[in-house]
Amino acid sequence: MTQPDGLAQGGPSAAPAAPSPDRAPLRVVVVDDHAMFRTGVKAEIGRSLDVVGEAEDVDSAVRVVLAHRPDVVLLDVHLPGGGGAEVLRRVHEREPDQRFLALSVSDAAEDVIGVIRGGARGYVTKSISGPELVDAVRRVAEGDAVFSPRLAGFVLDAFSGAIDVAAVDEDLDRLSVREREVMRLIARGYAYKEVAKELFISIKTVETHVSSVLRKLQLSNRHQLTRWATDRRLV
């Protein structure tokens, strides 16, 4: 199990080397429901990797991946139409050797474990830098398993039985995908304005989601929400 050095850390990084002239760059498909994020990823990795396609939901992801057969798919966990796990299931029915690297804002245990069980070769968070992402893609293409340092422990705990994933999923089933994203950021101490910026939604929408989360989980305030999420190792 390979952990790229400093994968989830900020700070300046050296630009990744361009591919050797005598070797074609690795082919990548980017799957994320935010067009701005896909554009940013392509700008960051385009000098070193060949982005041959992109998709915004489960159906388009399956279609694009099967059409292009890329070396690696960069896959968001939360997608309209069933999420990253559904993309993994449907693609692997047709192409069992297709390699996926999960790239998500979420670092919650059940998200990490879910896509790894679904067949992803690694999982990194969106705090990753461009050069680090290029390195992670290359390692997955070579057959390594790549994780942001903090996330590797979730995988080990899950397969050792230390995390009861089924119990966590039952609680989270009450929430929509977007509500889960908002809940985790709020539980980490993000202000509404920061959540809105992170998820590309309005502050009013954030407020609406927070109210809905508190109501569904029968909690009174964000302090109780933080404790609830912490107890379940979601933050």
Side-chain angles (χ1 to χ4, degrees), residues 15-82:
S20 172
D22 59 352
R23 185 177 65 178
L26 293 173
R27 301 167 67 254
V28 176
V29 164
V30 180
V31 180
D32 193 282
D33 60 339
H34 296 302
M36 288 180 61
F37 181 76
R38 296 196 306 272
T39 298
V41 169
K42 289 187 292 183
E44 287 286 340
I45 69 176
R47 179 172 175 268
S48 304
L49 305 172
D50 183 12
V51 180
V52 297
E54 59 183 280
E56 63 182 2
D57 56 25
V58 169
D59 287 341
S60 63
V62 173
R63 183 170 61 252
V64 170
V65 171
L66 292 177
H68 290 285
R69 304 296 203 277
D71 296 294
V72 176
V73 179
L74 289 174
L75 179 68
D76 193 11
V77 173
H78 299 144
L79 295 169

Side-chain angles (χ1 to χ4, degrees), residues 208-227:
T208 300
H209 284 314
V210 171
S211 295
S212 179
V213 168
L214 293 176
R215 185 182 69 254
K216 290 180 179 181
L217 298 180
Q218 298 181 343
L219 302 173
S220 301
N221 53 56
R222 62 184 299 165
H223 299 296
Q224 290 184 358
L225 177 61
T226 298
R227 186 164 58 250

Side-chain angles (χ1 to χ4, degrees), residues 4 43 53 74 87 99 102 126 132 134 145 153 157 162 223:
L74 289 174
V87 176
R99 288 173 175 164
K126 290 181 179 179
E132 289 168 343
V134 169
D157 286 347
H223 299 296

